[in-house]
Amino acid sequence: MRRTRLTLTAAVVAATSAALVAGPTTAAATHQAEPNVPVQLIAMNDFHGRISQTTGGDALQVTAAGPDGAYGTPDDVEDTVGGSAHVAATVQRLTAEFQAAHGAEAASVFVGAGDLISASSFESSVFKDEPTIEVLNAMGLDVTSVGNHEFDRGTEELRRVSAATDGTYTDDVVACPETLGGEAFRAGVDGCFGADEHAFHGADFPFLAANVLDRETGRPMLPPYQIVDVGGGERMALIGVVTESTPTIVSPGGVADVEFIDEADAINRVVPELLKQGVKAIGVLVHEGGFQQGPSAANPNGCDDLGGPLLDINQRTHPQVDLIVSAHTHSAYNCLLPVPDSRDRLVTSAGYYGRLVSDIRVMIKPSNGDVDRKATYAATNVPVLRTAADARVQSIVDYWNARAAEARNRVVGTAGADIERAASRDQESSLGNLVAQMQLEAVDEAQFGTPVIAFMNPGGLRTDIAAGEVTYGELYAVQPFGNTVNVVTLTGADIEEVLEQQFQADQARQSTLMLGTSEGFAYSFDPSRAFGDRVDACSITLDGVRIDPAASYRVAANSFLIGGGDSFTAFTKGTSPATGPVDVETAVEYFGQNSPVSPPAADHATLSTVRGTC
């Protein structure tokens, strides 16, 4: 059993200067010559509510190179992994091994680096991720940073599931969704869906958000850090931050009350306050990451030509920070990265969906309370094998699966062939075009102004649709965010701007996101041209007729896009808004009326270096 002594130290940001203010300074303890204090962090990231056993490719993890010793070949060794009961058993096993080596009082801390909830599997998402929070509580998670997906349902919902506002519990009465009964509950006490021993009380662990500031107070909306008593009179602090790009990849309206500041800047504001309190052993849980780019990128414990935003964050982070647990890119790596004027820093990521956990082991020097980077200072990404399962966690998963089964297993139609996402989000997909068409037909009514074009963001497509019978649960898994289908009026010039905003690899978003579009819509593009001039305005047509820049068109998209999500800010220029049904319900209706459904062509966008005349 894990033995930790966690204490939350309040920290706020002054409203006038946004500088962090901590509690009373504590003088560092006087140490005699004593052995180093061992500390274990077991880390998980991007779990996305995968409380049940994953299937297909999501359940396979490369665990070793092939016979020739090289990763990235068909001979790589893969094992079946994942499932929260197996995560719990793996954490328990690693903890037992650590404490067998260092004593039963050695501190082992189970941490997260964000995106533990949302974009979840059906049995969690349909209950607003209360099942995942209950599972994480049972697994003994000690602390996590927020991720961008923790903001998918907005800041108020995050406060509810975390049972905290500025680090304090709340008993505010909140209404449950009308579609689920319309009951009321007291936030932090009772949830919308639990009953008896499954009544929802919120997270037993803090969500950290040092770089997410309340716009009204200037203080972090959630605690910025946690201090852990690791035994031997020593303490370790964990700072939590999330990718600064969060407002561009969630619905902007849900985060309008907060400001996301630079990750490294927020970390560097916290570090001096921790040092004033005598805390020198410092780790960061950051929901931003990197990715291996070299030929051995499949090695979960490799660091082959690491790229991505994490490199800059590491470079600019205060040298007093001893380790960084990262996330967001769904990549696994295990690195020692250079730090200016200091020793190399341990930087890890455990992939996604609970397929791996990072076993991080360090020593704290009693002479000064700092991490000894010359002693044991190492990490291993450990596969979550299905050789053992925690019975308590499994019983919780079984309970929620039973409650979700009736709705999930209802057959709503058939697919004539596999309907798939693209290999990457910078490509058009059959599934994206189908979802756009389904949503357009669902709001093809006078009350919505009879829209003529629909768009779908690729990041909102979370899985494919397999050929054969299609269930409600399968359609829910495609779009698990609970967005509504909204309609606005855009000009033809606005529509062109929407299309231009797909191509932002050289802009702040740093990515190309190809939208799904409804039937009859077409255009051509040239990504080699300058931003804002990559779409040929003359090529944008609807049913063969050019879109008039000065004319008005009713356009449908999910509420995430209409709100400007994924940096598609041109949607916010829309007028005469109307709100339609929940996105998954449009898919259920479409399959019920059109089965068997065939995959549409992914040919609405054409790559062309030739410009038309108009």
Side-chain angles (χ1 to χ4, degrees), residues 194-236:
D196 302 325
E197 69 272 24
H198 294 276
F200 186 68
H201 300 279
D204 291 342
F205 51 89
F207 285 82
L208 307 181
N211 69 324
V212 187
L213 308 184
D214 185 293
R215 289 189 182 277
E216 184 175 339
T217 66
R219 295 157 41 189
M221 67 162 287
L222 293 169
Y225 61 85
Q226 172 114 349
I227 293 179
V228 182
D229 174 2
V230 295
E234 301 302 333
R235 296 176 296 164
M236 185 174 196

Side-chain angles (χ1 to χ4, degrees), residues 95-143:
T95 299
E97 292 174 358
F98 178 72
Q99 294 180 340
H102 298 287
E105 292 299 315
S108 179
V109 188
F110 185 21
V111 305
D115 277 10
L116 303 187
I117 60 173
S118 196
S120 304
S121 53
F122 179 82
E123 64 276 8
S124 181
S125 189
V126 74
F127 297 114
K128 296 184 74 175
D129 280 316
E130 289 182 12
T132 295
I133 295 295
E134 184 179 0
V135 163
L136 294 172
N137 288 343
M139 291 167 68
L141 187 72
D142 289 311
V143 60

Side-chain angles (χ1 to χ4, degrees), residues 67 93 350 416 486 588 604:
R93 174 177 63 82
N486 291 11
V588 170
H604 298 181

